[in-house]
Amino acid sequence: MRSIEPLLSVLPKTTVVDGKKILLIQITPSSWDRLEFYTSRVREFTDSGRLNAHKSVYTFLGQRPPIFPNLKILRLLPGMCNSSTFLFFLSSTLQEACVLCPALAFVAMAGQVLDIGPSLALLVAKSPGIKSLDLQRHIYSGLAHSLHALHDLERLSVMHLASPFLGREFVKAIASLPRLTHLILTFSARNPLDYEGTAHGFPFLREVWLEGTNAHLHRFLTCLSCNLRRLDLSWGNDNDREPPLGEIADVTRMLLKFSFPLPEKLCLHNIVLPLTADFDDSMLWSVFEPLLELKRLKELGHNGALSLSDERTATIACV
């Protein structure tokens, strides 16, 4: 479902005031039974952003939270997360939660950057068995404390947050998650991470997607001691500047020196360079040539240009 509006069709008569539906009479026991007959079958709710029901409707429905007692997947916009109706969606059956990110234009509007931290803490308290969590582009106060409690978490995505990661405590929190196998993480130059005490951590990670500067990527990779199946590296920074090829080559050469077993699938992102007269083709080849020594590598992906001479093609074919 993408709205609670369809639920009103099984309740007593409604009317519309200022474009929003409201209930005219109290919900009778028989209406509750009929409503729960349908809501108990809902497994996924994605917030459409269309608030076509008056807040009094949520007040009535909130008499018996949660609205969807068997919900598995919940995706809400930040405004809904920080409203009094948030509690109505929280069921102990939840396995996947996501704070949706609306149009990227809102990021520059400071007034719309919200603190979702209290709502995240409430989510953890009501739905401790969550296995997948996506957090984007807002402030999450108490993030490390909330993550520590998610013992069943298998997949975590933390991207472009507007607040610091809480340094060392954040790193320790994600490193301590006993079942975390998939991690998506965006670094910010304004909020460096502190890895003290987390060397050779994250032993159960299998798929990792990282975005940041050369220094950020290198520091995180040196902490790993896991048997990765897939590694995605994306070069980016707060200035939206294309990273120098020399920086990218430094990381690909360092992959040969890391202590963790190298992945079977490696994808390089944001290597988008114009084929101009001063294009340094030999430097770009230096990014990929070290990867030919990764013996476990079965699949290599990238989104940039690469000139393949007969000699280079033969070199790749011999791997």
Side-chain angles (χ1 to χ4, degrees):
M1 295 187 67
R2 299 182 61 83
S3 169
I4 69 165
E5 187 178 2
L7 301 178
L8 303 182
S9 63
V10 302
L11 292 175
K13 186 179 179 182
T14 63
T15 189
V16 178
V17 175
D18 295 330
K20 297 183 182 295
K21 290 186 177 182
I22 65 172
L23 295 170
L24 295 179
I25 59 176
Q26 290 284 346
I27 303 175
T28 63
S30 61
S31 294
W32 274 119
D33 291 342
R34 190 177 183 210
L35 178 68
E36 292 173 353
F37 176 83
Y38 293 103
T39 59
S40 64
R41 286 161 171 72
V42 177
R43 298 294 184 271
E44 181 175 342
F45 185 90
T46 300
D47 187 2
S48 66
R50 297 193 302 264
L51 299 178
N52 296 327
H54 191 269
K55 62 180 181 181
S56 62
V57 173
Y58 291 98
T59 301
F60 281 119
L61 296 179
Q63 296 174 28
R64 298 188 185 184
I67 296 177
F68 308 113
N70 297 314
L71 197 65
K72 300 293 184 184
I73 302 173
L74 177 63
R75 305 184 185 96
L76 294 181
L77 289 166
M80 183 71 82
C81 291
N82 274 18
S83 70
S84 59
T85 62
F86 181 59
L87 181 62
F88 306 159
F89 294 94
L90 302 185
S91 168
S92 60
T93 60
L94 274 180
Q95 294 187 1
E96 179 180 329
C98 174
V99 178
L100 295 171
C101 184
L104 295 182
F106 92 92
V107 176
M109 303 172 61
Q112 293 192 30
V113 178
L114 306 175
D115 184 2
I116 314 295
S119 296
L120 178 61
L122 184 59
L123 171 68
V124 171
K126 296 292 184 180
S127 311
I130 284 179
K131 296 182 178 180
S132 177
L133 180 63
D134 287 78
L135 308 176
Q136 300 181 30
R137 297 189 182 276
H138 283 280
I139 298 171
Y140 294 85
S141 59
L143 176 58
H145 180 75
S146 295
L147 291 177
H148 270 299
L150 295 177
H151 303 294
D152 293 327
L153 196 64
E154 298 175 358
R155 178 187 177 278
L156 174 64
S157 175
V158 179
M159 302 188 67
H160 305 290
L161 297 196
S163 63
F165 286 130
L166 304 181
R168 186 185 308 172
E169 294 305 314
F170 171 77
V171 178
K172 284 186 176 180
I174 58 176
S176 67
L177 294 173
R179 299 186 180 181
L180 188 67
T181 57
H182 294 63
L183 177 65
I184 301 173
L185 185 59
T186 295
F187 303 99
S188 171
R190 296 187 298 269
N191 304 313
L193 299 184
D194 187 341
Y195 297 93
E196 183 177 345
T198 57
H200 308 295
F202 313 96
F204 302 110
L205 281 181
R206 294 296 176 263
E207 297 190 12
V208 178
W209 192 99
L210 304 173
E211 177 181 344
T213 64
N214 184 67
H216 285 130
L217 299 179
H218 177 250
R219 287 196 67 194
F220 189 89
L221 290 172
T222 56
C223 292
L224 297 182
S225 61
C226 49
N227 186 13
L228 289 180
R229 290 193 300 263
R230 173 170 178 159
L231 175 62
D232 287 69
L233 299 177
S234 179
W235 280 263
N237 52 57
D238 298 329
N239 299 320
D240 293 327
R241 177 182 61 88
E242 286 185 351
L245 285 177
E247 291 186 5
I248 299 175
D250 287 342
V251 172
T252 56
R253 286 194 295 268
M254 289 175 183
L255 285 175
L256 301 175
K257 303 177 183 179
F258 289 135
S259 60
F260 65 89
L262 297 171
E264 296 181 356
K265 182 172 183 178
L266 176 65
C267 295
L268 307 180
H269 305 271
N270 285 353
I271 312 178
V272 181
L273 298 165
L275 290 172
T276 59
D278 59 350
F279 177 72
D280 193 339
D281 180 64
S282 61
M283 180 63 75
L284 182 57
W285 175 248
S286 71
V287 171
F288 293 95
E289 190 172 21
L291 303 178
L292 302 180
E293 299 182 38
L294 302 180
K295 303 305 180 184
R296 294 182 70 240
L297 194 63
K298 296 181 179 179
E299 183 174 343
L300 172 64
H302 76 100
N303 64 344
L306 182 63
S307 298
L308 290 179
S309 63
D310 289 345
E311 181 181 358
R312 291 178 181 175
T313 302
T315 299
I316 296 173
C318 292
V319 175

